[in-house]
Amino acid sequence: MRDKITTSLRLYSILIYIFLYFPIALVVLFSFNSGNYAADMQGFSFRWYGETWRDPFVLEALRNSVFIAATSATLATVFGTFAALALQNVRGWLRTLYDGLIYIAIIIPGIVIGIATLIFFVQFFGWLNPWLQILFGPSAPKFNLGLPTVIAAHTLFTMSIVLVIVRSRIAGMDRSLIEASNDLYATPFNTFWQVTLPQLLPAIMAGFLLAFTFSFDDFIVAFFVAGPNTTLPIYVFSSIRRGVTPKINAIATVTLIMSLGFLFIVQYLLTRSNASAKKDGE
Amino acid sequence: MKQSALDIDVEFRNVVKTFGTITAVDKVNFQIPKGSFYSFLGPSGCGKTSSLRLIGGFEQPDSGEILIAGESVAYIPPYQRHVNMVFQHYALFPHMDVASNVGYGLRQQRPRISPDEISKQVKDALALVRLSGYEKRRSWELSGGQQQRVALARALVNKPTVLLLDEPLAALDRKLRKDMQVELKTLQREVGITFVFVTHDQEEALSMSDRIAVMRDGKIVQEGSPTDLYRQPLDRYVAGFIGQSNFISGEVVEAGDQVKIKTQRAVILQAPKSKVAKTLAVGDKAVVAIRPERINLRNQNEAGSDGFAGKVAQITFLGDQTEYHVETEQVGRLLVRMNSGYAGYASGDPVIVYWNQDAGLALLDD
Ligand SMILES: Nc1ncnc2c1ncn2[C@@H]1O[C@H](COP(=O)(O)OP(=O)(O)OP(=O)(O)O)[C@@H](O)[C@H]1O
Ligand SMILES: [Mg+2]
């Protein structure tokens, strides 16, 4: 009886995994198709990877995506880390409020962030641009939706992710290390550089990689605020309307491998830093 | 003995430190002589760590004055005090190897010390704690005792005026702790730096210290050399904390240098007053404290007029010594410690307990 239950449970979970990963496996498989159609496997080749690499539209979108992801992840890492450091000294109801706001920023649906930032930018630029015209004449710069607005929107929500990761590392850190450094004649500034930062570095790097991945994979927010620019997900979305080509599969496969690779590194960094935090706390 | 200000490395003048409603350090005064091994001894929560952290500069006093080497250190941050601390859990930097840990303090010095000079001094410091050749190890590759020595070397390499040690031996096993006690004491003599040591282990304090401050609820109850504290405790608390004692309680019926105390059973006991204690007055609640090794046993049929009849209730064999718990009618249960070679009493034997009148000490009860 028990055996039967175990067997059927096992079967069930296998089905779940097939259901989850079969489509993804198909995408990867068909990206190696040598034929012209996405769903008609002719033979194995790297042909579509080559074609993708030579496509100027893809390259343009890729450049935009990498630029946005790198810039927004850097900004998010800097802001998130400093926010986490500053929040150490906040206690009581104010702390609860901040924590609540951070978690809300993480769980808020992308579409809400997209609409909200779009409305904000449109309103803000609609107010700012006339003033700039008045102040600096017709040659004044004009602000519009573009890569910077995507970067700003991405920084907004990835910053919270960095903050949460770095903060949990700060909480697990041994306070006496900082006191020991103080005791050994290091000024607060040197203590920060020589002890605090190295201790937080794995978490900071993990936060950067996660922020990069989230930004790189994001379609919804970018779609709202990118203006006339394309990012890789936007390119994929718009070209799908003209039918799925093996090229799309190739792009999806590369994105998938890169994201998985980053997540793997993040996981490694975080478990390692937690393990060493446990050791310090002994 | 009156000491000049120059011979004092650390001094507290009426220092108070509170945390919310808790007074961790309560109007404390003490002077730590230069080059001495000075211990704070007391039960958990009595303010030992707080006192140490005040010296290190990790806490600021609410009131009172702290002097290090004769200078007031109010508002001087830890990194500007020429004092180093060995933390209870060592606090070695996990992202650095042993040599970088030990050289950390030297690398902060301005003007800079040359790297060659630093590595030479690090080498010497590691040799001092018998860890030569461990330069490249990481802290998690070391045993508890070795980590402790790295922490010690990391502090000593800076040649501080005062070295603070917060229960540095608490995490070690018994055997290693005994070895490290001897080693620490030897090291202190060798380097001649003032050691301020915190412990709740009276044996540790007695065996290592030149002077001990016994603390209770944020106050120093008594301060003195180990032998002073052992032989002339101020009150029942100190007598109970330093070594073991039998206490027979009663009421003072005759005061003076020799005190007579009447117990609940109306037995009159005579004992000298502790030299450091205030005079006892007739009617005060008091105890006669007697160390277990100062009490003797004899058979009931042996000659002698003094003593109290009792029965051996329990025997604990300690190797070279044996402890007898003797139940008496008149003065209650007493702990007696005798050399093992000496007497052989069995459990249930009728015996007489007796002691010299100057073996006891009359102390105020609390
Ligand atoms: N940072 C703090 N915040 C609040 N209370 C504190 C703080 N540090 C110490 N205390 C309180 O002050 C009192 C003295 O603490 P302290 O750490 O000096 O004791 P201790 O003698 O070192 O005890 P132990 O042997 O347990 O280490 C305790 O009641 C403790 O709870
Ligand atoms: Mg303590």
Side-chain angles (χ1 to χ4, degrees):
Chain A
M1 183 63 202
R2 270 190 70 95
D3 278 2
K4 265 198 188 136
I5 292 176
T6 336
T7 323
S8 50
L9 274 179
R10 222 171 255 163
L11 203 68
Y12 177 73
S13 49
I14 288 171
L15 282 175
I16 290 275
Y17 277 105
I18 290 177
F19 180 71
L20 275 177
Y21 290 111
F22 186 63
I24 295 175
L26 277 187
V27 167
V28 176
L29 180 69
F30 282 113
S31 72
F32 295 108
N33 192 358
S34 58
N36 281 329
Y37 301 100
D40 179 17
M41 193 78 188
Q42 300 272 316
F44 183 91
S45 92
F46 283 101
R47 173 186 162 199
W48 290 105
Y49 286 88
E51 300 235 343
T52 310
W53 191 243
R54 282 187 294 274
D55 182 336
F57 293 108
V58 173
L59 287 186
E60 164 73 13
L62 178 68
R63 246 197 313 275
N64 285 343
S65 274
V66 170
F67 176 70
I68 290 168
T71 315
S72 71
T74 306
L75 290 174
T77 304
V78 172
F79 292 153
T81 302
F82 279 110
L85 286 167
L87 273 178
Q88 280 185 93
N89 305 319
V90 179
R91 300 257 170 274
W93 67 269
L94 200 59
R95 176 63 183 260
T96 318
L97 182 71
Y98 275 121
D99 286 355
L101 288 175
I102 290 157
Y103 286 117
I104 287 172
I106 290 177
I107 59 169
I108 250 177
I111 193 151
V112 177
I113 295 182
I115 294 170
T117 42
L118 174 66
I119 292 174
F120 169 78
F121 283 131
V122 168
Q123 294 273 336
F124 181 62
F125 293 156
W127 169 85
L128 183 69
N129 287 334
W131 274 105
L132 290 174
Q133 299 277 316
I134 292 168
L135 286 173
F136 301 105
S139 62
K142 222 170 158 216
F143 284 95
N144 269 317
L145 294 179
L147 298 189
T149 49
V150 184
I151 290 170
H154 280 181
T155 305
L156 187 75
F157 76 91
T158 52
M159 186 179 82
S160 314
I161 295 166
V162 176
L163 201 163
V164 168
I165 292 177
V166 174
R167 198 184 52 177
S168 81
R169 174 68 181 141
I170 289 177
M173 208 173 103
D174 187 358
R175 284 273 327 155
S176 67
L177 291 180
I178 293 179
E179 289 190 340
S181 168
N182 259 317
D183 185 60
L184 292 162
Y185 314 106
T187 58
F189 181 78
N190 286 345
T191 296
F192 179 77
W193 277 108
Q194 296 169 358
V195 178
T196 316
L197 208 57
Q199 287 289 300
L200 299 182
L201 206 57
I204 293 173
M205 289 196 306
F208 175 87
L209 289 179
L210 267 191
F212 189 97
T213 314
F214 271 86
S215 166
F216 193 82
D217 293 349
D218 168 71
F219 166 69
I220 301 176
V221 177
F223 187 67
F224 277 95
V225 294
N229 301 281
T230 38
T231 64
L232 207 54
I234 293 177
Y235 171 84
V236 170
F237 177 75
S238 49
S239 54
I240 263 176
R241 280 186 298 198
R242 277 174 271 125
V244 182
T245 63
K247 218 189 251 179
I248 302 286
N249 289 336
I251 294 173
T253 304
V254 171
T255 313
L256 177 75
I257 289 169
M258 196 192 76
S259 301
L260 284 181
F262 277 12
L263 283 179
F264 185 77
I265 299 172
V266 166
Q267 194 62 30
Y268 171 75
L269 286 172
L270 288 184
T271 42
R272 209 188 51 164
S273 84
N274 284 343
S276 84
K278 276 214 195 75
K279 267 196 109 72
D280 312 343
E282 268 173 4
Chain B
M1 183 175 59
K2 184 79 189 139
Q3 273 156 323
S4 82
L6 279 178
D7 298 330
I8 301 300
D9 259 346
V10 184
E11 181 172 356
F12 270 36
R13 292 184 186 157
N14 274 317
V15 172
V16 177
K17 176 70 196 172
T18 57
F19 296 103
T21 55
I22 299 167
T23 307
V25 176
D26 193 0
K27 293 214 189 75
V28 164
N29 286 286
F30 61 77
Q31 296 189 324
I32 301 180
K34 198 183 270 307
S36 64
F37 198 118
Y38 193 97
S39 295
F40 287 103
L41 173 66
S44 186
C46 71
K48 307 179 297 285
T49 298
S50 302
S51 303
L52 214 58
R53 291 174 60 82
L54 283 164
I55 302 175
F58 304 111
E59 309 284 358
Q60 289 296 324
D62 297 345
S63 66
E65 203 178 1
I66 299 173
L67 293 96
I68 296 175
E71 311 244 340
S72 169
V73 291
Y75 307 112
I76 295 184
Y79 56 91
Q80 285 172 357
R81 295 191 185 192
H82 203 41
V83 162
N84 285 114
M85 179 131 160
V86 174
F87 290 81
Q88 184 164 357
H89 299 289
Y90 317 136
L92 299 180
F93 303 121
H95 56 290
M96 297 178 192
D97 61 14
V98 166
S100 305
N101 262 287
V102 176
Y104 191 89
L106 297 175
R107 287 200 303 278
Q108 314 303 322
Q109 301 295 337
R110 299 292 179 274
R112 285 180 188 278
I113 304 173
S114 75
D116 287 348
E117 179 59 24
I118 290 180
S119 59
K120 185 184 156 293
Q121 291 193 26
V122 166
K123 206 164 168 252
D124 291 349
L126 284 175
L128 189 68
V129 295
R130 299 198 283 109
L131 277 180
S132 296
Y134 281 72
E135 280 86 350
K136 288 281 158 272
R137 296 273 198 108
R138 290 305 187 109
S139 59
W140 61 80
E141 296 170 330
L142 301 174
S143 72
Q146 290 168 336
Q147 287 181 30
Q148 208 256 323
R149 283 187 234 177
V150 174
L152 208 58
R154 185 175 72 172
L156 283 174
V157 76
N158 304 294
K159 306 204 169 53
T161 310
V162 181
L163 183 72
L164 309 173
L165 303 108
D166 190 0
E167 311 212 20
L169 308 180
L172 307 180
D173 64 56
R174 203 183 143 74
K175 171 80 178 68
L176 193 56
R177 201 155 74 207
K178 291 270 173 219
D179 293 347
M180 282 306 293
Q181 283 176 13
V182 178
E183 226 171 278
L184 260 185
K185 181 69 201 161
T186 318
L187 195 66
Q188 192 264 335
R189 291 249 172 77
E190 245 173 77
V191 295
I193 290 171
T194 307
F195 276 35
V196 184
F197 187 87
V198 159
T199 180
H200 61 259
D201 181 342
Q202 53 100 9
E203 234 181 281
E204 203 166 277
L206 283 178
S207 66
M208 301 168 78
S209 320
D210 297 321
R211 296 188 80 75
I212 301 174
V214 181
M215 290 191 77
R216 178 189 200 180
D217 297 336
K219 292 195 172 68
I220 292 182
V221 187
Q222 189 179 1
E223 198 251 30
S225 71
T227 40
D228 287 351
L229 294 178
Y230 192 81
R231 296 213 183 110
Q232 298 291 330
L234 179 76
D235 60 10
R236 179 177 181 162
Y237 175 78
V238 178
F241 210 82
I242 306 260
Q244 279 175 302
S245 260
N246 291 292
F247 296 109
I248 306 165
S249 49
E251 199 184 289
V252 177
V253 289
E254 203 181 302
D257 278 349
Q258 290 289 325
V259 183
K260 285 199 171 129
I261 290 172
K262 189 169 148 194
T263 71
Q264 280 107 327
R265 291 248 163 195
V267 178
I268 305 278
L269 295 172
Q270 187 180 326
K273 180 186 83 74
S274 169
K275 288 197 183 86
V276 290
K278 291 192 295 269
T279 46
L280 295 166
V282 172
D284 278 349
K285 286 208 164 304
V287 290
V288 175
I290 316 152
R291 299 288 181 193
E293 68 273 15
R294 302 294 298 269
I295 305 182
N296 291 310
L297 296 181
R298 68 166 184 263
N299 276 322
Q300 286 197 347
N301 51 19
E302 267 176 67
S305 53
D306 57 341
F308 305 98
K311 229 183 200 161
V312 176
Q314 199 189 319
I315 299 173
T316 315
F317 181 67
L318 300 174
D320 53 343
Q321 292 190 311
T322 307
E323 284 182 353
Y324 299 94
H325 295 260
V326 180
E327 195 66 54
T328 68
E329 185 83 356
Q330 288 151 298
V331 289
R333 197 181 173 102
L334 295 179
L335 176 67
V336 182
R337 194 179 302 136
M338 297 178 83
N339 286 336
S340 293
Y342 234 97
Y345 297 100
S347 188
D349 279 359
V351 287
I352 292 191
V353 287
Y354 66 100
W355 60 86
N356 272 337
Q357 242 168 39
D358 61 0
L361 207 54
L363 300 171
L364 200 62
D365 204 350
D366 51 9

